[in-house]
Amino acid sequence: ERMAPKKEPEPEEEEPEPGSVPVPPSLAWTDLTLSEIRAFMQKKTPEESLTYIAEKFQLTDYESNAQSSIMVDFYLWILTFTKESGFNEEKASAAFTIIKRTHEFAMSDGGKQIQETFEVFRRMVLRHALTGVPDSVVLFTPEDVKLLTAYVTQTYMQHYRLYQYCHRNQQELDCHTTCLFVSTASTPAPLRLA
């Protein structure tokens, strides 16, 4: 009697570290992992934050490239908003990706209408806030949704056409250096001598 060869047990796939990969339908950890969000939140100065973002998103030419400068500023303000709003790491990561994807959609195919872009944003936010809806995850509270929507409408949507213009048109950097000489007045004589 011939025995069938024993099959080697297949190695079990290691579970990824929590916060290192996105778990659909959530967008958290898509663009920024847990460790990356924590690293940003620990930055003490705006300069440290700016450098961190520029390096993370390969925008280190932001001092000479206007489009890179705009994107570094855009990303910095999203993360600053999440920090100041008290979002935890998961909410901050999801909010960042939602706004980043909203911007990517807005700039695609030569630019989209603002109403269409806001609808894409709204759907992504609601997908992270509604219970009992297929392909959704409850991450944001109603207060978070209100804060996030107010932030996007009062910042990004207010400057929507400007973002589109800057995205479509290459900007030239004009650097001018001017030396100013300021004369200071001499010290007046004491009043008792006047």
Side-chain angles (χ1 to χ4, degrees):
E1 224 176 287
R2 196 174 222 198
M3 292 181 66
K6 284 188 178 180
K7 282 189 177 179
E8 292 283 325
E10 290 190 26
E12 290 183 31
E13 284 189 35
E14 283 187 35
E15 284 289 316
E17 186 177 321
S20 63
V21 295
V23 179
S26 178
L27 292 175
W29 323 130
T30 302
D31 291 299
L32 293 168
T33 64
L34 176 61
S35 62
E36 291 167 335
I37 288 285
R38 284 182 177 160
F40 175 82
M41 297 299 183
Q42 292 172 351
K43 302 300 177 203
K44 301 288 185 222
T45 66
E47 292 79 21
E48 288 176 344
S49 301
L50 185 90
T51 301
Y52 181 79
I53 290 169
E55 289 172 359
K56 163 67 182 142
F57 293 100
Q58 291 95 35
L59 297 167
T60 53
D61 63 341
Y62 69 91
E63 290 181 341
S64 60
N65 181 325
Q67 288 182 343
S68 293
S69 179
I70 291 165
M71 293 314 299
V72 166
D73 188 60
F74 181 61
Y75 295 157
L76 177 64
W77 281 109
I78 296 169
L79 290 171
T80 300
F81 157 76
T82 64
K83 188 176 187 179
E84 291 175 355
S85 297
F87 283 15
N88 66 26
E89 292 94 345
E90 187 176 11
K91 289 179 181 183
S93 178
F96 180 86
T97 298
I98 288 169
I99 298 171
K100 182 176 180 277
R101 284 191 175 184
T102 299
H103 176 71
E104 289 167 353
F105 173 81
M107 300 303 123
S108 65
D109 301 327
K112 304 286 186 184
Q113 294 295 318
I114 193 168
Q115 297 84 354
E116 191 179 1
T117 299
F118 186 77
E119 182 59 26
V120 167
F121 165 77
R122 190 181 72 77
R123 278 196 311 260
M124 283 191 281
V125 170
L126 291 178
R127 199 171 94 197
H128 289 77
L130 297 176
T131 57
V133 177
D135 291 329
S136 69
V137 60
V138 180
L139 178 60
F140 297 125
T141 66
E143 183 62 27
D144 296 334
V145 171
K146 185 178 176 182
L147 285 170
L148 193 53
T149 303
Y151 172 76
V152 168
T153 56
Q154 294 169 7
T155 59
Y156 184 70
M157 296 298 172
Q158 288 292 319
H159 301 99
Y160 189 77
R161 289 182 191 231
L162 186 58
Y163 279 110
Q164 286 185 324
Y165 178 83
C166 292
H167 183 77
R168 283 193 297 240
N169 301 297
Q170 185 63 35
Q171 307 296 310
E172 289 186 28
L173 180 65
D174 254 346
C175 235
H176 300 280
T177 304
T178 304
C179 293
L180 297 176
F181 297 98
V182 179
S183 299
T184 55
S186 60
T187 308
L191 288 177
R192 63 180 161 76
L193 299 177

